[in-house]
Amino acid sequence: MRITNFKNQVIKEILGLDGRVEFSEYVWHDVKIQPEYWSKRLVFIYRLGRINLYYSKKNSLRKKIWRKIYLHLNLKITEGKLNSHIPASAYIGQGTKFYHPYNVIINSHSYIGGNSTLRHNITIGNAGNGTQESPHIEHSTSFGAGAALIGPINIGHHSKIGANSVVTKSFPEYSTIVGVPGKNINRS
């Protein structure tokens, strides 16, 4: 326990954190649960950007240096190699897994609850009509490959969104959403 606390203190000192985040729980736990190599890199870069954006001491030299490192990694790996766009300002809860994290596009105002599962070719964004309202997705939601969630919608917890579904309206918890446009096929 003392070693973990010491490592957290060293990492907080290196990153210039203000003490509101436990680095090992916030980053390493999420990195360890990822199913594949590139998923681990994607989550590490996202969490690094999130820490830099919200938890670093304001206007410090370290924050500026780590921001440059984050922007470089984001450009080279997330956007370059994986062809994904996941900004640090989007909220992605703890325990979310990315299976094959290629072509994942998430709007900066989106909210994705913890313990969700995302697959490749996912789009989560606003309707593009001049508003910034984006989807609000509760915890433990599973996304099929190629799913698109567009506009100011709410998806309840423990929902499943089928492959290649286009969801433009809100659904309650425990929904199974498939088709274009998305329909709830869960009859219970």
Side-chain angles (χ1 to χ4, degrees), residues 29-47 78 82 84-87 90-107 110-124 141-145:
H29 172 70
D30 269 5
V31 169
K32 284 193 277 187
I33 65 167
Q34 296 304 316
E36 63 176 29
Y37 178 82
W38 289 110
S39 301
K40 293 177 189 305
R41 270 84 193 140
L42 177 84
V43 169
F44 179 78
I45 293 167
Y46 166 75
R47 293 287 180 214
T78 305
L82 300 175
S84 295
H85 178 71
I86 304 173
Y91 179 83
I92 299 174
Q94 296 288 108
T96 297
K97 293 182 184 176
F98 289 86
Y99 288 95
H100 308 293
Y102 304 98
N103 302 321
V104 175
I105 308 296
I106 298 176
N107 186 286
S110 297
Y111 176 94
I112 301 171
N115 299 320
S116 295
T117 303
L118 285 84
R119 292 174 179 80
H120 62 283
N121 290 338
I122 302 282
T123 301
I124 300 172
T141 301
S142 179
F143 297 85

Side-chain angles (χ1 to χ4, degrees), residues 58-102:
K58 304 291 185 218
N59 300 324
S60 69
L61 180 62
R62 285 188 185 133
K63 182 171 183 166
K64 293 175 184 173
I65 292 169
W66 280 106
R67 177 147 178 81
K68 289 211 180 271
I69 291 170
Y70 160 71
L71 291 172
H72 177 75
L73 290 173
N74 192 39
L75 181 66
K76 293 290 186 184
I77 296 175
T78 305
E79 293 182 7
K81 176 73 175 167
L82 300 175
N83 198 25
S84 295
H85 178 71
I86 304 173
S89 58
Y91 179 83
I92 299 174
Q94 296 288 108
T96 297
K97 293 182 184 176
F98 289 86
Y99 288 95
H100 308 293
Y102 304 98

Side-chain angles (χ1 to χ4, degrees), residues 135-147:
H136 182 93
I137 299 140
E138 296 294 330
H139 63 88
S140 302
T141 301
S142 179
F143 297 85

